[in-house]
């Protein structure tokens, strides 16, 4: 970097030249921004009422990165009541649920908008709830934001020809270098809101950034403070992290700094084990590779269920590790233990029941394929595999294929050929049978009619018996199914 000229080197006009260069740089940045028309419309309304309006935070960051953004975020010197008056009659819809925190939500045509009064909050250090205080200028507002790349703003007040870039904390330089730093000291920022620590990992995942050294030090020192945050808020950030472009980097950061112990302690616990293939330093590394490989097999965008299942599929191994007489290490039934552990962890993180059920079922089924040796799949085994997977079958295919991380090319190819064979068998049976909706040949009403009974446990037992026959032997046809039902009833139902 070229040294700055000293005062004695500065001739007449040097300061003016520096200011002119700075303005030129600001203008170049503003020209990079694709500011939506709706933002200039809104700025005009604020200017006409004597207020300033800034596009701020993630909206500016994403515009500079040419990334799609969600809501348009604005900040202003106008107080919340004035904001409501300004957007009244212009916005197609208005929400004031966040007005106690200075935020008014709105929608203009298809654009969601959030407008927040300058903030100068203070925190009590015991919770993440601030004492809300409104500020008077943009500089004070930006310093309270989480990261410097989110502490940039564009003053829109004076119209498209006079936009001004505001970057008091070096956000643009951090953006260019891919560095994640805080406007204020990271210890202060994370103490104000410990969720920002997990948000740092989320930005590593979403943007591929590298935390500054001082941020890393603060994360390691302050990770336990994440316990102040509710499980729901932690889950929301963790899900965004998992769905990012670089989730492995973020998870490694969480493990290295101790954040993972507060969110998913089962993940760092896998560092203690060596996987049975002896090809990875530990099960932890293997699981990260499986997750990356599963991501590579996604076809319809990021899949939270698949990614969580890939990350957690082996968390039962530490609890099931056994050393066999021949010296090998085994993890018998780790899929069963792992499914139970997964359910407990995801429940504690307040994931929706549907997500929990799907992830746990994938963890439980991920070894089923390997239980059939070299691929001697009977029709019965194929039916059970498809039925147990149900609507998760395609995800299960991707998970099982991703779980092959051996460096032995011959073994890897053999496993893939074996799974190809299974998928071929599934396709063949699908042509012959209603494989995705296997049911007994007789429904409950017909069972009750033939047995002369009403609803009750006997009907359920008869149904399960016929379903088991259907799994083992394929379609029976009505006549044979009725015969089988009568024979079962004769042995199992008194009278």
């Amino acid at each position: 970097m070229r040294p700055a000229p000293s005062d004695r080197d500065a001739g007449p006009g040097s300061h003016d030249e520096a200011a002119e260069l700075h303005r030129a740089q600001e203008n170049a940045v503003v020209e990079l921004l694709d500011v939506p028309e709706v933002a200039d419309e809104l700025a005009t309304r604020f200017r006409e009422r004597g207020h300033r309006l800034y596009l701020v935070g993630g909206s500016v960051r994403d515009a500079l990165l040419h990334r799609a953004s969600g809501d348009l975020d604005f900040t202003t010197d106008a107080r919340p009541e004035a904001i409501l008056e300004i957007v009244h009659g212009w916005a197609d819809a208005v929400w004031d649920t966040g007005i106690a925190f200075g935020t008014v939500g709105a929608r203009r045509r298809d654009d969601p908008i959030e407008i927040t009064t300058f903030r100068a909050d203070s925190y009590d250090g015991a919770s993440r709830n601030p004492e809300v205080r409104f500020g008077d200028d943009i500089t004070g507002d930006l310093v309270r934001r989480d990261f410097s790349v989110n502490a940039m703003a564009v003053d829109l007040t004076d119209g498209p020809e006079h936009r001004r870039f505001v970057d008091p904390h070096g956000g643009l330089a951090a953006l260019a270098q891919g560095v994640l730093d805080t406007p204020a000291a990271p210890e202060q920022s994370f103490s104000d809101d410990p969720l920002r620590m997990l948000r740092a990992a989320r930005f590593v995942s979403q943007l591929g950034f590298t935390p500054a050294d001082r941020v890393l030090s603060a994360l390691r020192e302050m990770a336990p403070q994440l316990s102040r945050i509710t499980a729901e808020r932690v889950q929301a950030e963790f899900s965004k992290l998992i769905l990012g472009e670089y989730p492995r980097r973020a998870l490694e950061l969480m493990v290295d700094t101790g954040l993972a112990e507060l969110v998913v302690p089962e993940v760092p616990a896998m560092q203690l084990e060596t996987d049975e293939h002896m090809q990875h330093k530990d099960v932890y590394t293997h699981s990260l590779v499986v997750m990356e490989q599963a991501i590579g097999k996604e076809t319809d965008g990021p899949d939270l269920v698949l990614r969580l299942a890939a990350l957690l599929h082996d968390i039962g191994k530490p609890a099931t590790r056994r050393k066999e007489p021949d010296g090998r290490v085994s993890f018998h039934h780790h899929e069963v233990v792992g499914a139970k552990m997964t359910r407990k962890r995801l429940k504690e993180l307040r994931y929706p029941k549907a997500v929990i059920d799907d992830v746990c079922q994938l963890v439980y089924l991920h070894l089923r394929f390997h239980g059939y040796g070299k691929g001697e799949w009977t029709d019965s085994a194929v039916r059970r595999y498809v039925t147990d997977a149900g609507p998760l079958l395609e995800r299960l295919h991707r998970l099982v294929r991703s779980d092959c991380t051996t460096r032995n090319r011959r073994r890897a190819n053999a496993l893939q050929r074996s799974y190809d064979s299974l998928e071929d068998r599934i396709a063949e049976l699908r042509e012959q049978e209603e494989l995705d909706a296997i049911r007994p040949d007789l429904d409950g009403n017909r069972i009750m009619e033939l047995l002369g009974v009403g609803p009750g446990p006997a009907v359920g037992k008869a149904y399960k018996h016929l379903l088991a026959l259907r799994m083992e032997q394929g379609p029976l046809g009505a006549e044979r199914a009725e015969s089988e039902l009568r024979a079962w009833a004769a042995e199992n139902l008194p009278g």
Side-chain angles (χ1 to χ4, degrees):
M1 181 180 294
R2 188 176 63 185
S6 67
D7 287 341
R8 81 179 66 175
D9 295 328
S14 294
H15 294 297
D16 291 340
E17 291 173 4
E20 186 63 30
L21 177 61
H22 182 69
R23 282 193 293 272
Q25 290 172 334
E26 285 189 349
N27 290 336
V29 170
V30 169
E31 288 176 4
L32 288 173
L33 294 172
D34 182 16
V35 177
E37 180 183 348
V38 68
D40 286 320
E41 288 181 19
L42 188 59
T44 298
R45 296 181 67 86
F46 274 79
R47 180 177 67 250
E48 290 172 348
R49 289 159 178 79
H51 296 290
R52 306 204 70 79
L53 185 73
Y54 297 80
L55 187 68
V56 72
S59 297
V60 177
R61 180 200 70 223
D62 289 342
L64 288 169
L65 291 173
H66 302 290
R67 297 175 77 246
S69 189
D71 294 356
L72 290 172
D73 293 324
F74 299 92
T75 189
T76 178
D77 59 340
R79 294 308 193 243
E81 296 77 12
I83 297 174
L84 285 172
E85 292 179 7
I86 291 170
V87 299
H88 178 72
W90 173 82
D92 298 316
V94 177
W95 301 273
D96 62 0
T97 51
I99 200 166
F101 296 95
T103 299
V104 173
R107 179 177 53 81
R108 170 72 168 175
R109 295 186 288 273
D110 295 327
D111 293 304
I113 294 165
E114 280 199 351
I115 311 163
T116 303
T117 302
F118 294 152
R119 296 273 292 274
D121 302 336
S122 60
Y123 292 77
D124 60 14
S127 71
R128 67 174 303 272
N129 297 319
E131 177 188 344
V132 177
R133 291 191 295 112
F134 298 134
D136 298 312
D137 60 72
I138 186 64
T139 304
D141 179 86
L142 293 178
V143 75
R144 56 165 288 276
R145 294 182 179 265
D146 52 4
F147 300 104
S148 57
V149 293
N150 296 330
M152 299 179 285
V154 178
D155 189 349
L156 305 174
T157 312
D158 299 323
E161 302 301 321
H162 302 283
R163 294 173 184 152
R164 184 172 64 89
F165 183 58
V166 184
D167 182 21
H169 304 291
L172 183 62
L175 198 67
Q177 297 166 13
V179 172
L180 200 63
D181 204 350
T182 52
E187 292 81 4
Q188 180 63 52
S189 181
F190 298 157
S191 177
D192 285 348
D193 185 358
L195 188 63
R196 289 173 173 173
M197 292 187 286
L198 191 54
R199 197 173 295 142
R202 191 243 290 183
F203 284 126
V204 167
S205 176
Q206 290 181 329
L207 304 175
F209 284 6
T210 300
D213 289 342
R214 69 174 190 158
V215 170
L216 279 173
S217 298
L219 289 173
R220 293 188 178 106
E221 177 185 344
M222 302 180 68
Q225 292 199 32
L226 189 62
S227 61
R228 289 162 46 191
I229 306 302
T230 64
E232 290 82 359
R233 296 298 305 277
V234 169
Q235 181 254 101
E237 286 295 329
F238 185 65
S239 294
K240 292 176 184 176
L241 178 159
I242 291 294
L243 291 171
E245 190 172 355
Y246 311 100
R248 177 173 179 172
R249 297 185 195 178
L251 287 163
E252 289 173 337
L253 174 66
M254 289 181 64
V255 171
D256 291 345
T257 58
L259 287 170
E261 293 288 350
L262 280 299
V263 182
V264 279
E266 297 83 359
V267 171
M270 289 190 289
Q271 290 178 301
L272 304 176
E273 306 302 326
T274 302
D275 80 332
E276 68 269 34
H277 307 303
M278 304 299 177
Q279 295 297 326
H280 295 283
K281 182 174 67 175
D282 48 36
V283 177
Y284 162 71
T285 303
H286 164 76
S287 297
L288 294 180
V289 172
V290 172
M291 183 183 67
E292 286 188 311
Q293 294 186 162
I295 290 171
K297 299 182 190 306
E298 292 173 339
T299 57
D300 298 316
D303 185 338
L304 179 64
V305 167
L306 177 62
R307 294 184 182 199
L308 286 172
L311 174 65
L312 303 175
H313 75 284
D314 274 349
I315 63 170
K317 281 189 171 180
T320 58
R321 184 179 188 272
R322 299 289 183 274
K323 191 167 185 178
E324 302 297 340
D326 63 1
R328 289 177 60 83
V329 174
S330 68
F331 304 94
H332 295 309
H333 306 300
H334 75 267
E335 74 282 10
V336 178
V337 174
K340 292 179 180 178
M341 293 173 64
T342 297
R343 185 171 297 278
K344 180 175 183 293
R345 176 54 49 203
L346 297 186
K347 276 187 174 180
E348 290 185 2
L349 287 172
R350 304 294 193 271
Y351 273 98
K353 183 178 185 301
V355 172
I356 295 173
D357 290 345
D358 286 352
V359 175
C360 291
Q361 185 70 350
L362 287 174
V363 172
Y364 177 72
L365 293 175
H366 84 274
L367 276 189
R368 181 74 61 85
F369 163 73
H370 299 283
Y372 287 89
K374 298 180 180 180
E376 303 90 351
W377 286 79
T378 63
D379 287 352
S380 171
V382 173
R383 292 187 193 102
R384 292 185 182 281
Y385 193 81
V386 173
T387 301
D388 289 347
L392 297 172
L393 184 61
E394 290 303 317
R395 283 176 167 138
L396 183 59
H397 289 335
R398 294 181 185 126
L399 177 60
V400 173
R401 288 185 181 275
S402 300
D403 197 20
C404 177
T405 60
T406 178
R407 296 174 188 171
N408 184 319
R409 180 66 61 182
R410 181 178 298 177
R411 185 171 186 274
N413 288 339
L415 283 170
Q416 296 301 333
R417 285 196 301 271
S418 182
Y419 207 85
D420 289 342
S421 175
L422 169 59
E423 292 202 57
D424 290 342
R425 293 291 308 285
I426 291 173
E428 291 171 6
L429 274 184
R430 273 199 174 119
E431 291 183 3
Q432 302 169 22
E433 308 175 17
E434 295 180 6
L435 199 58
D436 296 311
I438 292 179
R439 296 179 178 84
D441 295 80
L442 305 177
D443 63 17
N445 289 330
R446 183 60 176 153
I447 291 172
M448 288 189 287
E449 180 183 345
L450 289 171
L451 297 183
V453 298
V459 179
K461 292 177 182 178
Y463 188 93
K464 289 180 180 179
H465 173 70
L466 292 176
L467 179 59
L469 289 176
R470 171 72 173 81
M471 287 285 191
E472 292 295 330
Q473 302 177 30
L476 304 177
E479 184 176 344
R480 184 181 165 199
E482 291 175 4
S483 175
E484 293 284 355
L485 176 63
R486 291 190 178 94
W488 175 85
E491 292 185 8
N492 293 276
L493 297 183

